């Protein structure tokens, strides 16, 4: 692909902004409720965490035996409403709103480093963006749409809402929607390199061999230093007896989700990423003639 080639992409006619996927992350829940009230009054379903059931309920497997919990039913409803995942009828863009207890600021997470829609939105928001490993079998909510990403904002304790974090999320969502309007109106977005952070691995807390209980916390010099380069031999953990445990990796990497509350049960103290540059081509929306020609080409194939 030539660097100056303009990629034509379908119009983003339907955009879903989702909040409250995890029931104790309140900024997205309050923001989604506020925006939905502007459109129409509707009964809000009970707030539940869909964290543990999304992988199963959005997967192509059949129903599980026994009683089906509410969270799984709700996940299947969301998949039917926004998708079904992978179908031509899925919404064009899903933005799933989340809070983190880690000091990550406004961070955008995608499952691909070649989704030009998401990467151009990342550029537009001028925020720290990192992409997970390419994962075509992801079953998170933002993967249901044809394009999708999660917006993580923190630090904010789970179960509370901080006005500055809520304001940052509100501004981020509005900038995203503004970009969609610009794109749909026919604006051309020039190609450019974008820095992304690709997740490499997770690190667990040091644990007792027999009891598996945590025996150290994040080192004070590392706490709240999300996306700051961690070099080999830098302080990583501090045991409860005061001993410093150092990072023994072979290369300097970028930590994120440092000391995230929800990840204790997953055995993750922090994740490490490698920073790299991705060339994002220029894009613009398809004209009706181009869309028809594309459909005819697909039918011929």
């Amino acid at each position: 692909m030539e660097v100056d080639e303009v990629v034509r992409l379908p119009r983003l006619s339907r955009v879903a902004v989702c909040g409250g996927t995890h029931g104790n992350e309140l900024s997205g829940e309050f923001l989604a409720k506020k925006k939905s009230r502007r459109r129409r009054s509707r009964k809000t379903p009970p707030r539940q965490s869909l964290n543990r059931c999304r992988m199963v309920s959005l997967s192509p497997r059949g129903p599980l035996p026994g009683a089906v919990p509410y969270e799984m039913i709700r996940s299947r409803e969301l998949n039917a409403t926004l998708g079904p995942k992978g179908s031509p009828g899925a919404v064009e863009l899903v933005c799933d709103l989340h809070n983190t207890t880690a000091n990550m600021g406004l961070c955008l997470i995608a499952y691909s480093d070649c989704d030009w829609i998401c990467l151009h939105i990342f550029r537009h928001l001028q925020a720290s963006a990192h992409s997970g490993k390419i994962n075509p079998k992801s079953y998170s909510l933002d993967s249901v749409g044809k394009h999708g990403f999660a917006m993580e904002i923190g630090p904010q304790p789970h179960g509370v809402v901080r006005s500055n974090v809520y304001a940052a999320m509100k501004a981020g969502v509005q900038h995203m929607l503004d970009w969609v309007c610009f794109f749909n109106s026919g604006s051309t977005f020039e190609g450019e390199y974008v820095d992304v952070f690709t997740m490499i691995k997770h690190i667990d807390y040091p644990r007792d061999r027999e009891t598996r209980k945590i025996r150290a916390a994040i080192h004070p010099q590392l706490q709240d230093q999300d996306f700051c380069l961690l070099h080999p031999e830098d302080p990583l953990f501090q045991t409860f007896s005061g001993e410093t445990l150092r990072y023994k990796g072979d290369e300097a990497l970028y930590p994120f989700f440092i000391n995230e509350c929800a990840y204790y049960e997953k055995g993750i103290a922090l994740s490490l990423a490698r920073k790299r540059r991705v060339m994002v081509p220029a894009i613009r929306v398809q004209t009706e003639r181009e869309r028809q020609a594309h459909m005819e080409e697909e039918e011929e194939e």
Side-chain angles (χ1 to χ4, degrees):
M1 178 190 300
E2 297 294 334
V3 173
D4 59 352
E5 179 183 348
V6 179
V7 177
R8 278 76 167 175
L9 296 172
R11 179 182 177 85
L12 302 174
S13 58
R14 294 171 300 164
V15 178
V17 178
C18 307
T21 306
H22 299 163
N24 57 359
E25 299 175 12
L26 300 188
S27 293
E29 179 181 342
F30 281 99
L31 183 58
K33 284 181 178 178
K34 184 175 184 296
K35 287 188 173 294
S36 67
R37 282 197 298 267
R38 288 181 178 178
R39 289 166 174 80
R40 63 182 181 273
S41 176
R42 66 184 183 187
K43 183 178 180 181
T44 303
R47 172 159 48 90
Q48 301 282 345
S49 175
L50 305 183
N51 190 31
R52 294 180 177 82
C53 67
R54 290 179 301 166
M55 289 292 290
V56 175
S57 61
L58 298 185
S59 71
R61 297 176 182 176
L64 297 178
V68 180
Y70 166 80
E71 292 87 353
M72 184 170 293
I73 295 173
R74 186 60 177 143
S75 293
R76 293 189 185 277
E77 290 174 351
L78 289 171
N79 186 45
T81 301
L82 303 178
K85 177 181 170 69
S87 72
V91 298
E92 279 70 31
L93 177 63
V94 176
C95 174
D96 194 19
L97 306 177
H98 290 268
N99 289 122
T100 173
T101 61
N103 187 33
M104 290 170 57
L106 192 158
C107 180
L108 305 178
I109 305 175
Y111 290 95
S112 170
D113 59 3
C114 57
D115 187 324
W116 309 137
I117 291 292
C118 290
L119 289 178
H120 270 283
I121 291 175
F122 295 175
R123 282 184 54 201
H124 184 69
L125 268 63
Q126 297 181 339
S128 297
H130 69 273
S131 66
K133 294 179 180 179
I134 298 175
N135 186 5
K137 294 185 179 179
S138 168
Y139 299 119
S140 63
L141 181 59
D142 49 280
S143 74
V144 174
K146 297 172 183 174
H147 307 276
F149 63 91
M151 182 181 293
E152 286 273 3
I153 302 186
Q156 176 172 284
H158 295 324
V160 305
V161 59
R162 293 178 53 175
S163 59
N164 63 322
V165 174
Y166 174 84
M169 179 177 285
K170 181 180 179 181
V173 170
Q174 188 58 57
H175 287 315
M176 180 270 294
L177 295 175
D178 289 343
W179 185 92
V180 171
C181 290
F182 295 146
F183 174 77
N184 285 341
S185 67
S187 299
T188 298
F189 296 90
E190 299 300 325
E192 190 174 332
Y193 284 97
V194 175
D195 290 330
V196 301
F197 296 85
T198 302
M199 195 276 290
I200 301 300
K201 62 181 178 179
H202 304 301
I203 294 181
D204 191 9
Y205 295 92
R207 296 178 182 272
D208 182 90
R209 290 185 178 180
E210 295 183 359
T211 65
R212 300 303 300 160
K213 290 184 178 180
I214 293 173
R215 63 181 185 88
I218 296 293
H219 195 279
Q221 293 183 28
L222 177 60
Q223 182 63 51
D224 298 328
Q225 299 303 306
D226 296 75
F227 296 110
C228 295
L229 202 58
L230 179 68
H231 296 87
E233 297 303 321
D234 280 352
L236 184 58
F237 297 105
Q238 187 174 74
T239 68
F240 299 131
S241 60
E243 178 187 0
T244 294
L245 305 180
R246 299 183 179 276
Y247 171 53
K248 298 300 182 180
D250 298 327
E251 63 175 313
L253 295 172
Y254 293 85
F256 64 102
F257 279 124
I258 298 175
N259 205 14
E260 160 59 42
C261 172
Y263 290 171
Y264 273 68
E265 63 181 277
K266 297 182 178 181
I268 300 175
L270 69 156
S271 299
L272 293 174
R274 186 178 291 127
K275 185 178 180 180
R276 61 195 183 87
R277 307 202 83 189
V278 174
M279 179 59 206
V280 184
I283 66 171
R284 71 168 177 83
V285 70
Q286 285 179 340
T287 65
E288 182 61 26
R289 179 178 297 179
E290 290 168 342
R291 189 183 71 84
Q292 292 292 341
H294 180 72
M295 292 176 61
E296 291 175 0
E297 289 178 0
E298 288 186 338
E299 291 177 356
E300 291 177 359
E301 294 178 357

